Short mmCIF file of all heavy atoms in Angstrom, two decimals:
data_model
loop_
_atom_site.label_atom_id
_atom_site.label_comp_id
_atom_site.label_asym_id
_atom_site.label_seq_id
_atom_site.Cartn_x
_atom_site.Cartn_y
_atom_site.Cartn_z
N ALA A 3 154.42 120.54 129.71
CA ALA A 3 153.63 120.54 128.55
C ALA A 3 152.65 119.40 128.32
O ALA A 3 151.71 119.40 127.58
CB ALA A 3 154.56 120.70 127.29
N VAL A 4 152.97 118.32 129.06
CA VAL A 4 152.17 117.09 128.97
C VAL A 4 150.81 117.44 129.52
O VAL A 4 150.64 117.89 130.65
CB VAL A 4 152.81 115.97 129.78
CG1 VAL A 4 151.90 114.72 129.75
CG2 VAL A 4 154.18 115.65 129.20
N GLY A 5 149.82 117.20 128.75
CA GLY A 5 148.39 117.46 129.16
C GLY A 5 147.98 118.89 129.00
O GLY A 5 146.75 119.19 129.31
N ALA A 6 148.90 119.76 128.67
CA ALA A 6 148.57 121.21 128.57
C ALA A 6 147.47 121.34 127.56
O ALA A 6 147.50 120.77 126.50
CB ALA A 6 149.76 121.99 128.23
N GLY A 7 146.50 122.22 127.87
CA GLY A 7 145.49 122.55 126.87
C GLY A 7 144.35 121.54 126.86
O GLY A 7 143.43 121.73 126.07
N ARG A 8 144.37 120.60 127.68
CA ARG A 8 143.22 119.61 127.62
C ARG A 8 142.82 119.11 129.01
O ARG A 8 141.81 118.45 129.12
CB ARG A 8 143.60 118.45 126.75
CG ARG A 8 143.78 118.81 125.28
CD ARG A 8 143.98 117.52 124.47
NE ARG A 8 144.99 117.88 123.48
CZ ARG A 8 145.42 117.02 122.62
NH1 ARG A 8 145.01 115.78 122.60
NH2 ARG A 8 146.32 117.37 121.79
N SER A 9 143.59 119.30 130.06
CA SER A 9 143.24 118.83 131.32
C SER A 9 143.95 119.66 132.43
O SER A 9 144.70 120.57 132.16
CB SER A 9 143.81 117.36 131.53
OG SER A 9 145.22 117.31 131.40
N GLY A 10 143.46 119.45 133.68
CA GLY A 10 143.98 120.17 134.83
C GLY A 10 143.17 121.39 135.12
O GLY A 10 142.39 121.92 134.36
N ARG A 11 143.41 121.93 136.36
CA ARG A 11 142.73 123.07 136.77
C ARG A 11 142.99 124.28 136.00
O ARG A 11 141.98 125.04 135.70
CB ARG A 11 143.12 123.33 138.22
CG ARG A 11 142.44 124.55 138.83
CD ARG A 11 142.82 124.92 140.18
NE ARG A 11 142.60 123.78 141.13
CZ ARG A 11 143.00 123.76 142.37
NH1 ARG A 11 143.84 124.71 142.82
NH2 ARG A 11 142.84 122.69 143.12
N ALA A 12 144.23 124.53 135.53
CA ALA A 12 144.49 125.76 134.76
C ALA A 12 143.78 125.70 133.43
O ALA A 12 143.20 126.71 133.03
CB ALA A 12 146.04 125.83 134.47
N TRP A 13 143.65 124.55 132.85
CA TRP A 13 142.90 124.47 131.59
C TRP A 13 141.41 124.61 131.77
O TRP A 13 140.74 125.34 131.05
CB TRP A 13 143.13 123.09 130.88
CG TRP A 13 142.18 122.85 129.78
CD1 TRP A 13 141.16 121.94 129.72
CD2 TRP A 13 142.12 123.62 128.53
NE1 TRP A 13 140.40 122.14 128.54
CE2 TRP A 13 140.99 123.12 127.88
CE3 TRP A 13 142.78 124.71 127.97
CZ2 TRP A 13 140.57 123.67 126.60
CZ3 TRP A 13 142.44 125.15 126.81
CH2 TRP A 13 141.40 124.65 126.04
N ARG A 14 140.86 124.01 132.75
CA ARG A 14 139.39 124.18 133.07
C ARG A 14 139.01 125.66 133.32
O ARG A 14 138.06 126.13 132.82
CB ARG A 14 138.98 123.26 134.21
CG ARG A 14 138.98 121.77 133.88
CD ARG A 14 138.29 120.93 134.94
NE ARG A 14 138.99 121.01 136.22
CZ ARG A 14 140.02 120.30 136.60
NH1 ARG A 14 140.56 119.42 135.80
NH2 ARG A 14 140.50 120.42 137.82
N THR A 15 139.89 126.28 134.06
CA THR A 15 139.61 127.75 134.31
C THR A 15 139.78 128.56 133.05
O THR A 15 138.96 129.39 132.72
CB THR A 15 140.62 128.24 135.39
OG1 THR A 15 140.43 127.55 136.62
CG2 THR A 15 140.38 129.71 135.76
N LEU A 16 140.91 128.32 132.27
CA LEU A 16 141.03 129.03 131.04
C LEU A 16 139.93 128.84 130.09
O LEU A 16 139.33 129.81 129.48
CB LEU A 16 142.38 128.65 130.39
CG LEU A 16 142.74 129.34 129.05
CD1 LEU A 16 142.86 130.79 129.27
CD2 LEU A 16 144.00 128.66 128.60
N ALA A 17 139.44 127.51 129.95
CA ALA A 17 138.41 127.21 128.99
C ALA A 17 137.12 127.84 129.40
O ALA A 17 136.30 128.35 128.65
CB ALA A 17 138.24 125.67 128.92
N ALA A 18 136.77 127.81 130.67
CA ALA A 18 135.53 128.43 131.23
C ALA A 18 135.56 129.97 130.98
O ALA A 18 134.53 130.60 130.57
CB ALA A 18 135.36 128.10 132.72
N ASP A 19 136.71 130.53 131.35
CA ASP A 19 136.77 132.03 131.07
C ASP A 19 136.62 132.36 129.60
O ASP A 19 135.97 133.30 129.25
CB ASP A 19 138.08 132.53 131.57
CG ASP A 19 138.16 132.48 133.10
OD1 ASP A 19 137.15 132.30 133.79
OD2 ASP A 19 139.32 132.69 133.69
N PHE A 20 137.28 131.61 128.73
CA PHE A 20 137.20 131.83 127.31
C PHE A 20 135.76 131.69 126.76
O PHE A 20 135.24 132.50 126.07
CB PHE A 20 138.14 130.82 126.59
CG PHE A 20 138.19 131.07 125.07
CD1 PHE A 20 138.76 132.20 124.54
CD2 PHE A 20 137.70 130.18 124.26
CE1 PHE A 20 138.80 132.39 123.17
CE2 PHE A 20 137.73 130.31 122.84
CZ PHE A 20 138.30 131.52 122.32
N ARG A 21 135.12 130.62 127.24
CA ARG A 21 133.61 130.41 126.85
C ARG A 21 132.84 131.55 127.26
O ARG A 21 132.01 132.05 126.47
CB ARG A 21 133.19 129.12 127.46
CG ARG A 21 131.65 128.88 127.07
CD ARG A 21 131.03 127.78 127.86
NE ARG A 21 129.65 127.75 127.56
CZ ARG A 21 129.03 126.84 126.82
NH1 ARG A 21 129.69 125.84 126.32
NH2 ARG A 21 127.76 126.90 126.59
N LYS A 22 133.07 132.05 128.51
CA LYS A 22 132.22 133.20 128.98
C LYS A 22 132.42 134.44 128.09
O LYS A 22 131.36 135.03 127.69
CB LYS A 22 132.63 133.53 130.41
CG LYS A 22 131.79 134.63 131.01
CD LYS A 22 132.24 134.90 132.48
CE LYS A 22 131.39 136.06 132.99
NZ LYS A 22 131.85 136.51 134.30
N VAL A 23 133.64 134.75 127.66
CA VAL A 23 133.87 135.86 126.76
C VAL A 23 133.26 135.71 125.50
O VAL A 23 132.62 136.61 124.87
CB VAL A 23 135.46 136.11 126.64
CG1 VAL A 23 135.76 137.09 125.58
CG2 VAL A 23 136.03 136.59 128.07
N CYS A 24 133.38 134.44 124.96
CA CYS A 24 132.76 134.09 123.55
C CYS A 24 131.29 134.19 123.65
O CYS A 24 130.60 134.77 122.76
CB CYS A 24 133.22 132.76 123.20
SG CYS A 24 134.99 132.61 122.77
N GLU A 25 130.67 133.68 124.69
CA GLU A 25 129.20 133.69 124.82
C GLU A 25 128.66 135.08 124.97
O GLU A 25 127.69 135.43 124.32
CB GLU A 25 128.77 132.74 126.00
CG GLU A 25 127.33 132.51 125.98
CD GLU A 25 126.93 131.45 127.07
OE1 GLU A 25 127.81 130.84 127.68
OE2 GLU A 25 125.69 131.23 127.17
N GLU A 26 129.35 135.91 125.78
CA GLU A 26 128.89 137.29 125.99
C GLU A 26 128.97 138.08 124.67
O GLU A 26 128.14 138.99 124.51
CB GLU A 26 129.72 137.99 127.07
CG GLU A 26 129.46 137.52 128.43
CD GLU A 26 130.36 138.02 129.52
OE1 GLU A 26 131.37 138.70 129.16
OE2 GLU A 26 130.19 137.75 130.74
N SER A 27 129.92 137.77 123.79
CA SER A 27 130.07 138.56 122.58
C SER A 27 129.28 137.77 121.46
O SER A 27 129.36 138.25 120.23
CB SER A 27 131.47 138.81 122.24
OG SER A 27 132.16 137.54 121.93
N ASN A 28 128.79 136.66 121.73
CA ASN A 28 128.03 135.79 120.72
C ASN A 28 129.01 135.57 119.56
O ASN A 28 128.65 135.64 118.38
CB ASN A 28 126.77 136.44 120.19
CG ASN A 28 125.84 135.40 119.59
OD1 ASN A 28 125.86 134.29 119.96
ND2 ASN A 28 125.03 135.89 118.64
N ALA A 29 130.25 135.15 119.92
CA ALA A 29 131.25 134.81 118.90
C ALA A 29 130.82 133.68 117.97
O ALA A 29 130.37 132.64 118.49
CB ALA A 29 132.61 134.51 119.57
N PRO A 30 131.07 133.84 116.69
CA PRO A 30 130.74 132.70 115.77
C PRO A 30 131.88 131.73 115.72
O PRO A 30 132.97 131.92 116.16
CB PRO A 30 130.57 133.38 114.44
CG PRO A 30 131.53 134.53 114.55
CD PRO A 30 131.41 135.03 116.01
#
Side-chain angles (χ1 to χ4, degrees):
V4 176
R8 295 187 219 179
S9 63
R11 181 184 299 167
W13 168 249
R14 288 189 301 274
T15 301
L16 179 63
D19 290 347
F20 183 70
R21 179 193 173 106
K22 182 179 178 185
V23 168
C24 292
E25 191 169 356
E26 287 173 353
S27 66
N28 201 29

